[in-house]
Amino acid sequence: MIVVHHLNDSRSQRVLWLLEELGLPYEVKRYERNAKTRLAPPELRAIHPLGKSPVIQHGDVVVAETGAIIEYLLETFPDGGLRPAAGTDAGRRYTYWMHYAEGSAMTPLLLSLIFSEIPKRTPLLARPVARAIARKVGAAMITPQIASHTTWWEAELGRSGWFAGERFSAADIMMSFPLEAAGSRAGFPDKPNCKAFLQTIHARPAYQAALKRGGPYAYA
Ligand SMILES: N[C@@H](CCC(=O)N[C@@H](CS)C(=O)NCC(=O)O)C(=O)O
């Protein structure tokens, strides 16, 4: 049995979704973020020293990091055609997006989240100054980066509606979280391809089934 250590409102939603797409049986062990810090509870460190989600256990095997978990599942079980053949253009694109999602796309999104926390976590008297600094640095260094990434997604999705080749693949599952995170505040009013991508994936039966198994998810 595969056990998914699942944190609410988190990247582990992608693992549940993949398992539903593959039709594999699995068990969900749920963890709740601390309402104030948004961090995972300490019990998760008993499964993996970093205490982050997702982590899966499959027999004696423990795998952390979303991309590594997805690759493990696709290598271990029939991959359901979710991995384009290596050596093809779609295969190269697949590898790119699988690495890019956490390696590049999430960096400015995470910085944006951290900068939005700075004023909230600053003593009241210093808050206006903290807010002004966070806003100025964010506008100069983070917002343009996010714009550049989302423009890139919009152009790439214009090819087929999917990230790697002509068909839905696990690269689309991997890229769902950056798009959901980037679109969570305003949606994508000026990016029809990104908007359509999110609508299409959210309508997939496996995505919906994963939501039922994972519980409330703020980004869907
Ligand atoms: N790159 C890692 C990121 C893992 C990660 O940071 N997970 C977040 C949830 S989205 C987490 O566990 N946060 C709670 C914490 O850091 O305590 C992956 O894709 O698995």
Side-chain angles (χ1 to χ4, degrees):
M1 179 58 90
I2 299 159
V3 180
V4 183
H5 295 273
H6 172 71
L7 185 66
N8 62 307
D9 292 337
S10 84
R11 288 161 167 93
S12 55
Q13 194 62 43
R14 288 181 295 196
V15 173
L16 305 184
W17 178 21
L18 174 68
L19 287 162
E20 292 290 341
E21 293 282 354
L22 295 175
L24 294 171
Y26 63 96
E27 198 180 293
V28 179
K29 184 145 180 11
R30 296 173 56 109
Y31 300 80
E32 293 294 321
R33 289 179 185 271
N34 179 297
K36 203 165 169 199
T37 64
R38 303 294 293 156
L39 293 176
E43 302 93 87
L44 206 41
R45 287 183 191 268
I47 313 300
H48 186 279
L50 293 182
K52 307 268 180 207
S53 175
V55 185
I56 64 160
Q57 283 178 305
H58 178 223
D60 292 340
V61 179
V62 175
V63 190
E65 196 67 43
T66 317
I69 294 170
I70 291 180
E71 292 297 357
Y72 173 80
L73 292 172
L74 296 178
E75 275 161 17
T76 309
F77 301 97
D79 70 13
L82 294 183
R83 230 176 4 167
T88 62
D89 181 54
R92 282 185 289 277
R93 290 171 61 76
Y94 172 84
T95 303
Y96 171 79
W97 293 112
M98 288 296 290
H99 287 266
Y100 164 91
E102 288 294 323
S104 292
M106 284 310 296
T107 308
L109 294 169
L110 201 56
L111 283 171
S112 171
L113 179 74
I114 290 168
F115 271 65
S116 72
E117 287 291 313
I118 291 174
K120 293 180 216 161
R121 296 181 189 222
T122 301
L124 205 57
L125 276 179
R127 208 167 277 176
V129 177
R131 190 175 294 119
I133 295 171
R135 205 171 276 160
K136 198 162 179 191
V137 178
M141 301 182 74
I142 303 172
T143 311
Q145 283 297 318
I146 294 177
S148 156
H149 283 273
T150 55
T151 302
W152 169 230
W153 306 342
E154 180 68 8
E156 288 294 290
L157 284 170
R159 294 160 63 117
S160 70
W162 302 116
F163 279 101
E166 298 300 311
R167 294 177 48 197
F168 173 68
S169 75
D172 298 303
I173 296 180
M174 200 61 198
M175 281 300 293
S176 63
F177 193 74
L179 266 84
E180 288 174 335
S184 65
R185 282 209 195 130
F188 288 107
D190 57 344
K191 296 203 165 45
N193 298 332
C194 291
K195 199 172 172 178
F197 174 82
L198 286 179
Q199 283 168 346
T200 308
I201 62 168
H202 290 166
R204 288 180 78 87
Y207 188 99
Q208 291 296 324
L211 282 184
K212 282 202 187 107
R213 291 294 304 272
Y217 176 59
Y219 301 112

